[in-house]
Amino acid sequence: MACCCCCIPHYTNVSGPEIGRDIIESHQMGSHTTTGDSMPLIEIALPPQQCMISEPGAMSFLQKGIGMETIFDDGSSVNEPGCCTKCKTCCLRTCSGEGASVAHWTNNSDSVRQMGFASALPGHIVAIDLKTMPENMLFTMNGSFLFGTKGTRIDVARTDCKQCCCGAGLFFQKLDGDGKVFLNAGGTIIKQNLNDETHRIDPASLVAFTKGLTVDVQKAGTCMTMCCGGEGMALTTISGQGDYWIASSPWTSQLAYALGFLPPKKS
């Protein structure tokens, strides 16, 4: 824990990136279309010599001319990182709920090519332009990132220890850059706006939030409410000024519901 406190900044203290100095300008992507509702496919028009990054296994199809490379780096650094730096960022990325490696998809042809991405679980995918976010930064819950343009940095920021009791773990995922990212979550993803307010939400429902918001934990209510109310011991509170996104049916809730239909184990 002491090592985390020294090496990884708290999410309220991180600063935005300097585009062109800290990280590269994001690659460009063309139009994208969404097919389907509960298990959508996102089709991307990828211009020549441009690159997308994704978590391994997110690709559904790609046209000839698009090459794939899987490396232990998101490719956002201006200067090529050394082996130790790659190992460090790789470990931090796994702490944020992503895989150790990142898939890179580059259009090596001289014309626009199509490719598609999809989530492995039923839910919703939303596109967010980091250029429009405060300080070009977005905090997400573990594993929310599905794919985005190369130049997006996948990093972590430290949470409060009490967040471990409410689904966040020790780290939030931090995405920064000036390109588009696509997040996935169970059910439907809904955007909410806060104007110096406080909302209480189900801990598993939070998907992402902008810089300037504070996430905390609060008792769900009385002992009777905590034991019999169905919402658990605590709720997540989010306050301040900014935007956040929630999922209507988190995957943990879907799994818990499905497990109730399993036949009893035979002795």
Side-chain angles (χ1 to χ4, degrees):
M1 182 60 67
C3 180
C4 291
C5 292
C6 294
C7 300
I8 302 176
H10 193 266
Y11 74 95
T12 57
N13 297 326
V14 296
S15 55
E18 292 188 41
I19 309 297
R21 185 174 179 180
D22 295 334
I23 59 177
I24 64 173
E25 292 186 10
S26 291
H27 285 218
Q28 301 299 310
M29 56 169 275
S31 61
H32 72 276
T33 58
T34 302
T35 304
D37 295 320
S38 61
M39 298 188 72
L41 173 72
I42 311 296
E43 296 183 62
I44 301 293
L46 189 59
Q49 308 309 313
Q50 299 302 295
C51 180
M52 304 292 292
I53 62 172
S54 75
E55 65 174 10
M59 187 274 294
S60 290
F61 78 91
L62 53 85
Q63 291 183 335
K64 185 177 181 181
I66 297 179
M68 174 189 177
E69 183 183 19
T70 303
I71 58 177
F72 295 109
D73 182 35
D74 56 30
S76 63
S77 299
V78 172
N79 301 312
E80 179 67 21
C83 182
C84 292
T85 302
K86 286 184 178 181
C87 288
K88 176 186 174 183
T89 56
C90 175
C91 292
L92 291 177
R93 194 163 50 247
T94 57
C95 291
S96 72
E98 299 300 329
S101 59
V102 178
H104 291 239
W105 311 91
T106 306
N107 184 358
N108 298 313
S109 72
D110 56 2
S111 59
V112 176
R113 290 288 186 262
Q114 301 286 328
M115 67 178 304
F117 295 94
S119 174
L121 299 170
H124 192 199
I125 301 173
V126 295
I128 299 176
D129 191 347
L130 293 177
K131 194 183 303 181
T132 64
M133 297 293 103
E135 299 188 36
N136 294 75
M137 187 187 309
L138 187 70
F139 299 103
T140 70
M141 297 298 284
N142 296 346
S144 295
F145 174 77
L146 185 63
F147 69 97
T149 53
K150 183 179 179 179
T152 300
R153 179 168 56 184
I154 307 171
D155 205 348
V156 299
R158 181 168 47 87
T159 67
D160 300 317
C161 294
K162 55 189 173 183
Q163 293 292 343
C164 294
C165 302
C166 289
L170 285 174
F171 306 103
F172 287 130
Q173 189 176 69
K174 179 171 73 73
L175 306 176
D176 53 17
D178 62 346
K180 284 187 177 180
V181 295
F182 291 76
L183 308 181
N184 66 145
T188 301
I189 300 177
I190 306 103
K191 180 181 178 181
Q192 300 283 351
N193 178 260
L194 286 177
N195 187 16
D196 293 324
E197 307 168 77
T198 298
H199 286 183
R200 292 190 295 173
I201 60 178
D202 174 55
S205 294
L206 183 62
V207 177
F209 63 96
T210 57
K211 178 78 182 292
L213 294 180
T214 301
V215 179
D216 206 344
V217 176
Q218 181 180 342
K219 284 200 313 179
T222 63
C223 291
M224 177 63 74
T225 300
M226 289 189 288
C227 294
C228 306
E231 298 298 336
M233 300 286 290
L235 297 175
T236 293
T237 65
I238 185 164
S239 58
Q241 192 164 18
D243 298 321
Y244 72 92
W245 290 258
I246 56 174
S248 64
S249 180
W251 290 321
T252 52
S253 299
Q254 296 181 33
L255 179 60
Y257 180 78
L259 289 176
F261 291 91
L262 290 178
K265 185 177 180 180
K266 295 181 180 181
S267 56

